[in-house]
Amino acid sequence: MSKPASVEKAYELARERYAEIGVNTDQAMAALKKIPISLHCWQGDDVGGFESSSGLTDGGIQATGHYPGKARTADELRADLDVAYAMIPGRHRLNLHSIYLESGGRPVPRNEIRPEHYARWLDWAKSKGLGMDFNPSCFSHPKAAGGFTLSSADEGVRRFWIEHCIACRKVGESFGRALGTPCVTNVWIPDGYKDIPVDRLAPRERLCRSLDEVFAEKIDPRYHLDAVEGKLFGIGSESYVVGSHEFYLGYAVSRGVLLTLDAGHFHPTEVISAKISAVLCFAREMLLHVSRPVRWDSDHVVTLDDELYAIAQEIVRHGWADRIHIGLDYFDASINRVAAWVIGTRNMLKALLAALLEPTERLKAAENAGDFTARLAMLEELKTMPLGAVWDQYCLQAGVPVGAAWLEQVRDYEARVLSKR
Ligand code: RNT
Ligand code: ZN
């Protein structure tokens, strides 16, 4: 355990060092406090959900690993989330998938879900002061087993998923109204072909029509926002994905819905940090699925890597915290799942803090003056500024564990609760 006195002492010195380069650390911490991160419920149970007929079946999503202790019920998942939130400084959000409903053991077809099936989640979120986000679950279902949902050539299948997405928007709206903060409902579908298609157009035309039907009813943006998420390829859709990035960029801009960029959904050398400024030239708001691609997997636990710093810089340098909704999207079943939430969320916050501790105006001035020498020199010196001391102080002030002390608490919870499951 780090001693509060040494954290404070290190912070005082760090504050002076940052002041020397024109950065106010107290202001940076105050700004960080206002940025919510939406924690994805699905890290807690490997994207299983609580439908009575549950179990991950075919449909483009796969968690790997067999670490013991995964949540088997919504109560367990909430208890796990409570532990995770207690290790994370600040007030955040919960991102729920439709398959996490509680219907008292009665199977509810996905096109018949209703706000009451999420009442306990909502009560819990309200009591914790969390905002909520939502997602249709167009996968792990017999009607997704053919590889197509909203873009299916089978009218019955397509209709079913349209109805599911419409039902999800209503659930999302109910969250937004109850919590007084807009719920972002994000549509991702796995539709695509494993092998080379002949007709790339028809499924896209069907998807476009389906989405127009899904979004036909206008919902007050004070309570609810729609988002669409593209992908380059997925498991079983290696050759063609209907909802590609270009498709959804066009769709989002022409229809005025949010575009979601998932950090794991592009070619390995493409990064979403480079795309955000392009999207926000044309879209008012967007959603990020912060993730970490590794080879063919798009969903490793978020680490504090260069891309995470770059994503945070884009958000902070342009003052876009109110136009960019930050969600996490990864699932690792090979490590303690509560720790996975804590590691990824704390990293996102650290990256944001690093960006908030940057002398952005000085850097921009150097760039605008054509002084690329100074720009590079300053960016490199920033890398060894005492970010950690400010982060520790932020955690101390927020009343959450400083440094790796959180791990002991998660381990303790593992011994007492998770290992008994
Ligand atoms: C899948 C998408 C999608 C999902 C979640 C569970 O490739 O990233 O966002 O991960 O909806
Ligand atoms: Zn995603």
Side-chain angles (χ1 to χ4, degrees), residues 42 47 60-61 97 135 139 186 188 229 231 262 265 289 298-299 329 331:
W42 53 91
V47 213
I61 290 218
H97 239 287
N135 306 260
F139 51 82
N186 177 56
W188 171 77
E229 179 184 10
K231 192 168 184 171
D262 184 312
H265 286 190
H289 270 188
S298 62
D299 304 288
D329 182 13
F331 26 97

Side-chain angles (χ1 to χ4, degrees), residues 74-96:
D75 282 324
E76 288 183 351
L77 189 56
R78 281 187 287 266
D80 295 356
L81 279 161
D82 279 337
V83 177
Y85 284 115
M87 306 297 129
I88 297 164
R91 239 172 212 243
H92 299 287
R93 303 178 64 86
L94 173 75
N95 194 4
L96 204 60

Side-chain angles (χ1 to χ4, degrees), residues 37-38 40 42-43 229 231 260-266 270-273 287-294 296-309 311 325-332 340 344-345 347-348:
I37 311 296
S38 197
H40 51 314
W42 53 91
Q43 164 58 53
E229 179 184 10
K231 192 168 184 171
T260 302
L261 293 184
D262 184 312
H265 286 190
F266 294 89
E270 275 186 287
V271 282
I272 64 166
S273 56
L287 169 66
L288 299 183
H289 270 188
V290 181
S291 188
R292 178 167 54 105
V294 177
W296 51 264
D297 178 59
S298 62
D299 304 288
H300 273 54
V301 178
V302 167
T303 57
L304 191 54
D305 59 11
D306 286 350
E307 172 59 356
L308 194 66
Y309 279 112
I311 290 169
H325 303 259
I326 307 172
L328 303 175
D329 182 13
Y330 52 79
F331 26 97
D332 188 336
T345 316
N347 280 335
M348 183 73 245

Side-chain angles (χ1 to χ4, degrees), residues 176-195:
R177 283 185 186 274
L179 299 171
T181 164
C183 166
V184 182
T185 296
N186 177 56
V187 176
W188 171 77
I189 59 166
D191 302 26
Y193 286 118
K194 181 183 176 76
D195 225 326

Side-chain angles (χ1 to χ4, degrees), residues 15-302:
R15 176 155 63 173
E16 280 174 36
R17 293 281 287 112
Y18 279 104
E20 287 165 11
I21 58 164
V23 171
N24 183 318
T25 51
D26 294 311
Q27 274 171 15
M29 290 193 288
L32 183 60
K33 238 180 175 165
K34 295 197 188 119
I35 306 180
I37 311 296
S38 197
L39 268 76
H40 51 314
C41 74
W42 53 91
Q43 164 58 53
D45 75 329
D46 315 338
V47 213
F50 307 124
E51 290 178 309
S52 4
S53 60
S54 75
L56 203 66
T57 58
D58 218 26
I61 290 218
Q62 183 70 64
T64 50
H66 297 96
Y67 200 85
K70 83 168 168 189
R72 297 158 302 178
T73 64
D75 282 324
E76 288 183 351
L77 189 56
R78 281 187 287 266
D80 295 356
L81 279 161
D82 279 337
V83 177
Y85 284 115
M87 306 297 129
I88 297 164
R91 239 172 212 243
H92 299 287
R93 303 178 64 86
L94 173 75
N95 194 4
L96 204 60
H97 239 287
S98 81
I99 49 177
Y100 290 77
L101 80 173
E102 289 169 278
S103 59
R106 192 176 61 84
V108 179
R110 288 194 196 171
N111 57 346
E112 289 175 23
I113 58 158
R114 281 236 247 287
E116 60 253 36
H117 300 132
Y118 305 89
R120 296 191 60 210
W121 281 108
L122 181 59
D123 286 348
W124 175 78
K126 211 185 264 172
S127 74
K128 308 276 164 181
L130 302 166
M132 284 181 82
D133 299 303
F134 201 56
N135 306 260
S137 317
C138 304
F139 51 82
S140 304
H141 190 279
K143 281 195 161 58
F148 289 84
T149 63
L150 287 178
S151 74
S152 176
D154 179 323
E155 265 309 294
V157 168
R158 197 172 73 89
R159 183 71 28 213
F160 175 81
W161 292 110
I162 290 173
E163 287 169 8
H164 172 56
C165 290
I166 291 174
C168 285
R169 293 180 80 220
K170 302 227 154 102
V171 174
E173 181 187 4
S174 75
F175 293 160
R177 283 185 186 274
L179 299 171
T181 164
C183 166
V184 182
T185 296
N186 177 56
V187 176
W188 171 77
I189 59 166
D191 302 26
Y193 286 118
K194 181 183 176 76
D195 225 326
I196 306 154
V198 172
D199 187 351
R200 290 184 173 81
L201 177 61
R204 289 187 170 140
E205 288 177 333
R206 285 193 294 269
L207 175 56
C208 190
R209 271 196 285 129
S210 298
L211 291 171
D212 283 349
E213 286 186 58
V214 168
F215 300 137
E217 190 181 322
K218 294 289 156 239
I219 304 182
D220 191 330
R222 281 177 303 164
Y223 308 123
H224 184 265
L225 298 165
D226 295 296
V228 288
E229 179 184 10
K231 192 168 184 171
L232 180 68
F233 76 92
I235 303 170
S237 63
E238 289 81 4
S239 301
Y240 167 76
V241 166
V242 183
S244 60
H245 174 55
E246 293 76 8
F247 174 90
Y248 280 125
L249 180 59
Y251 190 86
V253 167
S254 62
R255 304 313 199 261
V257 298
L258 277 65
L259 181 75
T260 302
L261 293 184
D262 184 312
H265 286 190
F266 294 89
H267 281 288
T269 58
E270 275 186 287
V271 282
I272 64 166
S273 56
K275 299 177 191 293
I276 291 170
S277 55
V279 172
L280 287 191
C281 281
F282 302 100
R284 223 213 73 80
E285 291 180 45
M286 63 189 301
L287 169 66
L288 299 183
H289 270 188
V290 181
S291 188
R292 178 167 54 105
V294 177
R295 314 247 182 240
W296 51 264
D297 178 59
S298 62
D299 304 288
H300 273 54
V301 178
V302 167

